[in-house]
Amino acid sequence: MAITALPNSRTEADGSAVVRVLSYNVRSMRDDEDALARVIRACAPDIVFVQEAPRFFRWRKHAARLAAKSELVVLSGGATAAGPLLMCSLRATVERTEDVLLPLTPGLHRRGFATAVVRFAGARVGLVSCHLSLRTDERYAQAGMLLDRVAAMDAPHTIVAGDLNERPGGRSFTRLTKELQDGWAVSPWGGEYTSTPTDPHQRIDAILATKGVEFLGCGVPTDLDPADLEAATDHLPVLAAVRIPAT
């Protein structure tokens, strides 16, 4: 059953769009795939920002299967973005996509961004799914690269979401929120902590947006099946409803 506490997706009379956005670290789909899909479907998202999508053998088939089970389609990313992935509903009209690989630090995991520009009715928006480094200095540099990517999207509005691997107040998180809105801080809804499902004690996943996007609510859904949340992956999902002005 879909969550109804947040506004449903809709197009408004002036062409602006209310869009449901989900960010979710799926741990390479190594857990209960059916539970994962049930969680995503229950959130009724228009866009899903995935982190740790499958990156190795037959990764495209795994991503396509998750999208099909979630009643969505793959938009961009996966192994070609080193893990971040975007999925969307058929409500989105796709303008362009681009997968971006970040500089590799020897001995550390390669990172990247899955990006796209899409339209919902009269609203045009850039999308960036990200998963920042575990190492402090590299994460800070990647936060700067993420802001550079947002500036280069050539879209009037941009939504960024992902696993930041850092709590609010950290250097990288603060670097991002000096220029982007933090959905939970602006319009908290549901639960705050995203890690871990069995012991939620920290917020390291976030949905961010440029100033023109209006957050109508953002947080961890509290009315999902706890068994599905624990079985699906090692993070909790972050769900937001946003209003994107018509271009």
Side-chain angles (χ1 to χ4, degrees), residues 184-203:
W184 169 262
V186 170
S187 185
W189 167 89
E192 178 178 6
Y193 300 134
T194 62
S195 175
T196 61
T198 56
D199 178 27
H201 64 281
Q202 59 180 349
R203 181 162 75 98

Side-chain angles (χ1 to χ4, degrees), residues 129-195:
S129 180
C130 65
H131 187 184
L132 302 187
S133 176
L134 288 165
R135 199 168 88 177
T136 303
D137 57 342
E138 185 178 48
R139 183 167 63 245
Y140 186 77
Q142 290 171 352
M145 296 174 204
L146 181 54
L147 292 173
D148 290 343
R149 177 56 49 175
V150 170
M153 289 297 290
D154 190 27
H157 312 285
T158 299
I159 300 170
V160 174
D163 181 349
L164 304 184
N165 269 320
E166 187 172 275
R167 301 177 186 186
R171 280 206 318 149
S172 302
F173 207 117
T174 301
R175 185 175 191 178
L176 294 172
T177 55
K178 281 182 177 179
E179 297 192 28
L180 303 173
Q181 302 179 80
D182 173 7
W184 169 262
V186 170
S187 185
W189 167 89
E192 178 178 6
Y193 300 134
T194 62
S195 175

Side-chain angles (χ1 to χ4, degrees), residues 23-105:
S23 183
Y24 209 1
N25 183 317
V26 304
R27 196 160 70 158
S28 299
M29 295 169 58
R30 292 181 294 172
D31 301 290
D32 187 330
E33 190 176 303
D34 291 329
L36 179 64
R38 284 194 297 269
V39 170
I40 294 172
R41 286 199 309 272
C43 293
D46 298 292
I47 298 290
V48 183
F49 295 71
V50 175
Q51 301 85 49
E52 290 193 32
R55 295 181 293 116
F56 301 110
F57 185 64
R58 293 183 176 174
W59 66 269
R60 287 184 175 86
K61 291 185 177 180
H62 292 302
R65 189 172 67 247
L66 177 62
K69 287 184 176 183
S70 305
E71 300 175 359
L72 301 166
V73 297
V74 173
L75 179 53
S76 70
T80 47
L85 177 81
L86 288 166
M87 301 192 298
C88 67
S89 71
L90 295 181
R91 186 180 177 220
T93 299
V94 182
E95 184 176 303
R96 69 175 189 272
T97 65
E98 183 180 2
D99 299 332
V100 179
L101 289 175
L102 302 183
L104 175 63
T105 300

Side-chain angles (χ1 to χ4, degrees), residues 217-228:
C218 179
V220 175
T222 56
D223 53 354
L224 296 180
D225 184 343
D228 276 350

